[in-house]
Amino acid sequence: MEEYYLICEDSLEGVFTGIYDAYLKKKPHGQVHLCVGQEDNYRLFAVYEECRPDEGKAVKVARTIGRELGHEAYMSICRALASPQPDKGEAVYKTVVAGLSMKNRKRVMGNLKNPYIHRVFELARFTANEAHYHVEFLRFRELENGILYAPMGPKNNVITFVVPHFADRLPLENFVIHDTLRGIYALHPAGKDWYLVSGAQGEPGGRDGLENHDSLPGAISGKDHREPVPGAPPMPFSEGEEKYSELFTHFFHTIAVKERGNYGLQRNMLPLRYRKYMTEFQEK
Amino acid sequence: MERTDLIPGDARKAGPAAVMQAEGMSLMEKLGILSDAAKYDVSCSSSGVERRGDGTGIGNTSRAGICHSFGADGRCISLLKILFTNECIYDCKYCINRRSNDVPRASFTPDEICELTIQFYRRNYIEGLFLSSGILGSPDYTMELICEAVYKLRTLHRFQGYIHVKAIPGASPELVRRLGLLADRMSVNLELPTAAGLKALAPNKHRKNILTPMRQIQQGITQNKEELTLYRHAPSFVPAGQSTQMIIGATPESDYQIMTVAENLYQKFALKRVYYSAFVSVNEDKDLPALPGGPPLLREHRLYQADWLLRFYGFEAGELLSEDRPNFNVLLDPKADWALRHLDQFPVEINRADYRSILRVPGIGVKSAQRIVRARRSGNLTFDDLKKIGVTLKRALYFITCNGRMMYPTKLEEDYLVRNLTGEKERLPFDRDGMTYRQLSLFDDQQEFAFLQAAGS
Ligand code: SF4
């Protein structure tokens, strides 16, 4: 019995294309598998095929998932695909297969006894939790030119789940959220829609909005390939930044009740790895 | 609704002390004094109202509330929690700001409050403002200043984030009304659970002056809900609801009295939330209890657990405690304690029991109960399935069956269960240094409880 392994790109488009191609095979789904990114464990007697991401195919799959399995399941799948775990493609593929074979398809995510659905549920939960942590703990710093800049280093690719929250909240601000691990920037020009830019390719111009700021930091507009690290902003901070970060840090230390000191609880609630990006935890 | 009447002409008059202090003191010093003085208020919740930004200003709110940091005491920091002033004409014995204390005094100006709120908010330090105050001059004078600050924040700065203000007991109903139209949440502190306690420790405050604004806010909220169904654009009045706080352990009330008061506040005053604050001794006073062991944190914790049972688990105060058993068990959380006294209602069959009964199983939280009910639609659940969907069985296993079978052979017998439920961890939760909240919260879905608790929602 021949096993097929479809190797897809690590993106929503890549995996959705993979699912489309898997259905095209017209083989029992048990014999077809999706791998994301590089497969390093080649098996004998298995057929490996590369899937080139194809927007048309991906859109069809996305529509089918949304229509047949419902919005909730679609969002879970998107969140699961933001995970860095290599088995996510296979889990999503088999979840779609299982969902489409159910009588009540909209209930697919409740069927946690199915190991693939369970895995999608779990991966989606990791992403949702991490996205929520960033809604809480992300910190903006004001740069010299008034732009608010927030670096982060998430395990899952959460940026698209985080930006809408801030776009609604800070509509009149120019702000940038920077995923320092993936080199992705979300740019929000005041009063306009936000968009993503990949640091590697750069986006030297041509889009309306932020590039009209001559003073836009080089690293953000892609003119310069300095890799910003946490705490090292693309340009100096504004004067107000120093004042308000000191005020907040002072507030942060005063507001705790000494008699109730509880560092264990603090660590449970605020994992250490977020602190390197947080204003109130910066060493002076 | 007309809002132009909001800034009273005389708001800036007088307040000699405030004006004197304001000069020469830096914003940093003021913030230090006025946040230090505000820290004993336990609430920092930003929950209860979902509001998207309208695109013309700054801010939105989230129904569940959002924490932004956690202090060294492990409590959530969600709001810029400050006093307007720590001047006070009253002399409440438990309070650091009482008139007879010799402490540095400071007052903000309304503009300083706006500046701090906006600058902190745009950096994502906070969800909004929690403004409380000592009483400067008179209750009305203080409330006018608070109104001015909040009014400016809402109109001049178009701030649409969360605002919680404290109503000053004794302030006029008109000021309470104005403030209610600007704030998301209001609270009037009950301070002490009973009128007798209040009389003993807060001689200038009267129960009536606390309950009257509380009632007014409740009625305002009800009336506003009706208005909103008629006119969608009617301004909202305290949309995130009303809360209160009482100090635990400064006066001799029993847990049963306290829970009964809380139940009444939920039922008769429709409060969103009652907070319990373990008494922290800041003043030397013969009328205050000595607390050699520090603030009664375990007792506070049990009260919160019981409060949870009232609000989310369908329990009544009378089921948990009685005149004969007026205090919670130190060793067991109130839910396990209840279960041990009602062993006839167990074991509960996971595949058939109704949601309410599952919710009453020790170790099963609201989320787990919901997940169980959902997952069992697609077939009978086994213990393995329960684990897979994230139900913690450590405590629940003594009280449930799956398809008629228990997970291990165990006895439904009180002594045996007490031994097993008070594991090493929960037995001595207040170890000198080793105390963590996690150890304490062997309540339910631990994560959920610890999180909600710290989030103050
Ligand atoms: S009224 Fe009482 S509790 Fe409030 S600040 Fe004054 S002394 Fe303190």
Side-chain angles (χ1 to χ4, degrees):
Chain A
M1 191 176 66
E2 236 167 359
E3 301 263 328
Y4 294 89
Y5 286 83
L6 304 181
I7 301 175
C8 17
E9 188 194 83
D10 186 359
S11 68
L12 220 56
E13 194 177 308
V15 173
F16 285 173
T17 306
I19 293 174
Y20 190 94
D21 289 349
Y23 271 89
L24 275 188
K25 287 246 161 292
K26 306 230 185 296
K27 299 272 177 206
H29 289 293
Q31 278 166 252
V32 187
H33 309 279
L34 287 198
C35 319
V36 173
Q38 292 295 36
E39 177 66 24
D40 32 36
N41 245 328
Y42 284 95
R43 288 162 213 244
L44 283 177
F45 311 116
V47 182
Y48 288 87
E49 284 172 27
E50 295 273 350
C51 275
R52 274 226 273 120
D54 176 312
E55 197 182 326
K57 292 177 178 176
V59 167
K60 278 187 196 142
V61 170
R63 288 224 184 96
T64 308
I65 296 175
R67 191 181 59 236
E68 299 299 323
L69 309 184
H71 182 69
E72 186 206 2
Y74 180 72
M75 286 310 290
S76 295
I77 285 171
C78 292
R79 292 198 182 93
L81 290 176
S83 161
Q85 298 299 326
D87 64 331
K88 63 185 177 182
E90 176 78 350
V92 165
Y93 163 40
K94 297 292 155 76
T95 293
V96 172
V97 171
L100 292 179
S101 72
M102 280 168 67
K103 232 198 331 253
N104 191 340
R105 296 173 169 180
K106 300 256 152 74
R107 286 212 177 138
V108 56
M109 291 314 297
N111 186 9
L112 293 176
K113 291 169 69 173
N114 176 312
Y116 296 107
I117 298 175
H118 182 258
R119 182 64 174 155
V120 168
F121 172 82
E122 186 179 57
L123 293 176
R125 200 170 47 176
F126 291 149
T127 301
N129 286 345
E130 200 184 27
H132 188 73
Y133 272 132
H134 282 94
V135 162
E136 300 181 323
F137 302 143
L138 196 79
R139 292 290 180 265
F140 287 101
R141 288 153 170 272
E142 192 184 61
L143 305 177
E144 244 175 5
N145 56 8
I147 292 181
L148 293 172
Y149 169 76
M152 65 173 177
K155 286 185 190 157
N156 301 283
N157 189 1
V158 295
I159 199 163
T160 51
F161 302 102
V162 171
V163 186
H165 170 82
F166 291 102
D168 182 66
R169 171 162 287 209
L170 306 172
L172 304 181
E173 300 277 3
N174 288 306
F175 70 77
V176 177
I177 298 176
H178 177 196
D179 181 334
T180 58
L181 300 181
R182 294 170 187 77
I184 303 173
Y185 300 85
L187 276 67
H188 178 275
K192 303 219 174 97
D193 288 337
W194 62 275
Y195 55 94
L196 288 179
V197 169
S198 153
Q201 307 157 2
E203 197 69 9
R207 316 242 344 211
D208 56 348
L210 276 175
E211 83 286 353
N212 298 332
H213 272 269
D214 325 322
S215 43
L216 189 76
I220 290 175
S221 63
K223 286 173 197 140
D224 169 343
H225 290 288
R226 266 183 303 168
E227 198 36 53
V229 289
M235 71 188 307
F237 295 131
S238 70
E239 261 170 55
E241 185 51 36
E242 193 177 339
K243 174 177 171 193
Y244 296 113
S245 61
E246 275 176 23
L247 279 165
F248 180 65
T249 306
H250 188 48
F251 170 78
F252 173 77
H253 291 297
T254 341
I255 204 71
V257 178
K258 267 193 265 23
E259 291 86 341
R260 305 180 60 120
N262 192 337
Y263 287 101
L265 179 59
Q266 188 190 28
R267 203 163 38 244
N268 279 336
M269 304 312 299
L270 205 173
L272 294 171
R273 66 192 183 88
Y274 292 97
R275 299 191 187 175
K276 64 173 180 252
Y277 299 99
M278 295 174 70
T279 315
E280 63 272 34
F281 291 99
Q282 298 310 308
E283 302 274 338
K284 271 280 143 81
Chain B
M1 176 69 47
E2 257 317 302
R3 272 183 176 174
T4 46
D5 60 340
L6 260 158
I7 299 193
D10 60 350
R12 291 208 162 264
K13 243 197 313 195
V19 176
M20 251 164 49
Q21 297 284 3
E23 285 161 28
M25 195 182 275
S26 72
L27 193 53
M28 182 72 85
E29 284 169 294
K30 286 189 186 184
L31 181 63
I33 294 172
L34 293 169
S35 57
D36 192 57
K39 71 184 176 194
Y40 299 102
D41 216 296
V42 280
S43 163
C44 197
S45 159
S46 53
S47 63
V49 57
E50 180 84 20
R51 180 173 58 230
R52 290 180 55 95
D54 67 3
T56 69
I58 174 169
N60 60 19
T61 63
S62 138
R63 182 166 305 285
I66 295 174
C67 291
H68 285 276
S69 197
F70 289 87
D73 52 6
R75 294 191 305 168
C76 151
I77 297 174
S78 179
L79 302 174
L80 170 61
K81 183 160 61 177
I82 47 177
L83 298 191
F84 191 93
T85 176
N86 69 338
E87 302 275 355
C88 196
I89 56 172
Y90 284 178
D91 207 36
C92 308
K93 295 186 175 152
Y94 49 82
C95 176
I96 185 91
N97 304 316
R98 62 180 183 173
R99 190 184 55 216
S100 56
N101 273 9
D102 181 20
V103 293
R105 308 275 174 175
S107 303
F108 282 122
T109 64
D111 286 329
E112 285 169 337
I113 289 182
C114 293
E115 178 189 348
L116 286 173
T117 307
I118 297 290
Q119 293 300 339
F120 282 13
Y121 193 86
R122 60 195 285 265
R123 290 172 170 77
N124 205 37
Y125 299 160
I126 54 168
E127 269 310 278
L129 174 67
F130 180 1
L131 192 55
S132 178
S133 188
I135 302 174
L136 179 67
S138 72
D140 273 356
Y141 179 68
T142 313
M143 277 280 271
E144 304 249 13
L145 286 172
I146 292 177
C147 265
E148 187 188 335
V150 175
Y151 178 76
K152 278 194 166 160
L153 204 45
R154 284 289 193 229
T155 52
L156 205 63
H157 300 276
R158 299 205 55 78
F159 179 68
Q160 295 153 32
Y162 199 86
I163 299 181
H164 178 169
V165 273
K166 230 176 227 134
I168 306 287
S172 71
E174 173 52 21
L175 284 166
V176 172
R177 192 188 67 83
R178 282 195 214 157
L179 209 45
L181 288 169
L182 297 168
D184 289 299
R185 171 164 291 185
M186 284 186 79
S187 54
V188 193
N189 279 359
L190 198 62
E191 306 293 9
L192 296 153
T194 59
L198 194 68
K199 202 162 169 206
L201 296 187
N204 313 97
K205 285 190 179 161
H206 303 285
R207 189 82 158 178
K208 192 176 131 273
N209 286 351
I210 293 171
L211 296 182
T212 307
M214 215 183 247
R215 182 66 81 200
Q216 187 197 340
I217 294 168
Q218 177 195 13
Q219 286 165 349
I221 294 173
T222 318
Q223 203 188 333
N224 184 236
K225 286 208 179 110
E226 287 161 16
E227 284 166 12
L228 282 170
T229 50
L230 285 177
Y231 321 100
R232 219 156 39 85
H233 296 295
S236 48
F237 183 88
V238 195
Q242 174 172 210
S243 65
T244 193
Q245 156 172 326
M246 46 184 154
I247 302 167
I248 301 307
T251 42
E253 291 90 356
S254 69
D255 291 348
Y256 182 49
Q257 277 176 301
I258 294 169
M259 286 325 294
T260 311
V261 170
E263 191 167 55
N264 270 317
L265 290 169
Y266 286 128
Q267 286 171 2
K268 305 210 174 110
F269 286 84
L271 287 201
K272 259 274 157 51
R273 198 76 167 71
V274 175
Y275 291 95
Y276 311 87
S277 169
F279 173 57
V280 178
S281 178
V282 289
N283 297 329
E284 292 283 334
D285 197 304
K286 62 173 175 23
D287 293 328
L288 294 174
L291 292 172
L297 294 177
L298 176 56
R299 187 171 177 210
E300 177 197 280
H301 182 66
R302 292 284 181 249
L303 289 167
Y304 274 117
Q305 291 178 317
D307 186 87
W308 239 256
L309 297 181
L310 297 188
R311 291 188 299 137
F312 301 122
Y313 290 77
F315 281 91
E316 287 172 18
E319 287 181 276
L320 302 171
L321 295 170
S322 64
E323 297 282 355
D324 306 332
R325 270 188 86 264
N327 290 307
F328 287 115
N329 190 334
V330 181
L331 296 178
L332 278 177
D333 70 73
K335 195 179 179 194
D337 197 35
W338 174 86
L340 289 182
R341 284 180 287 113
H342 295 85
L343 289 179
D344 54 308
Q345 304 194 16
F346 296 97
V348 161
E349 168 55 46
I350 287 297
N351 287 300
R352 264 178 301 285
D354 62 359
Y355 175 72
R356 272 177 52 98
S357 317
I358 295 178
L359 209 48
R360 290 195 164 209
V361 172
I364 294 186
V366 174
K367 278 217 181 113
S368 296
Q370 287 170 349
R371 255 182 240 149
I372 289 171
V373 173
R374 210 171 126 172
R376 71 186 182 183
R377 289 192 196 127
S378 23
N380 264 354
L381 300 175
T382 63
F383 283 101
D384 261 351
D385 294 331
L386 290 184
K387 279 187 204 156
K388 269 195 219 140
I389 63 176
V391 178
T392 332
L393 292 172
K394 195 160 161 260
R395 292 156 69 70
L397 68 91
Y398 302 102
F399 300 94
I400 57 173
T401 56
C402 278
N403 306 310
R405 305 182 58 162
M406 303 208 67
M407 188 161 162
Y408 308 118
T410 67
K411 288 176 277 188
L412 262 181
E413 176 217 288
E414 187 163 347
D415 285 348
Y416 171 81
L417 289 172
V418 170
R419 266 200 313 281
N420 282 288
L421 291 178
T422 51
E424 322 89 67
K425 277 184 177 169
E426 164 93 12
R427 199 168 282 151
L428 268 181
F430 282 95
D431 223 333
R432 250 162 222 282
D433 51 322
M435 191 205 95
T436 72
Y437 229 76
R438 187 68 80 207
Q439 287 170 342
L440 258 185
S441 20
L442 286 167
F443 184 51
D444 264 314
D445 209 340
Q446 295 186 11
Q447 191 84 34
E448 182 182 339
F449 180 73
F451 185 78
L452 290 171
Q453 162 99 49
S457 62

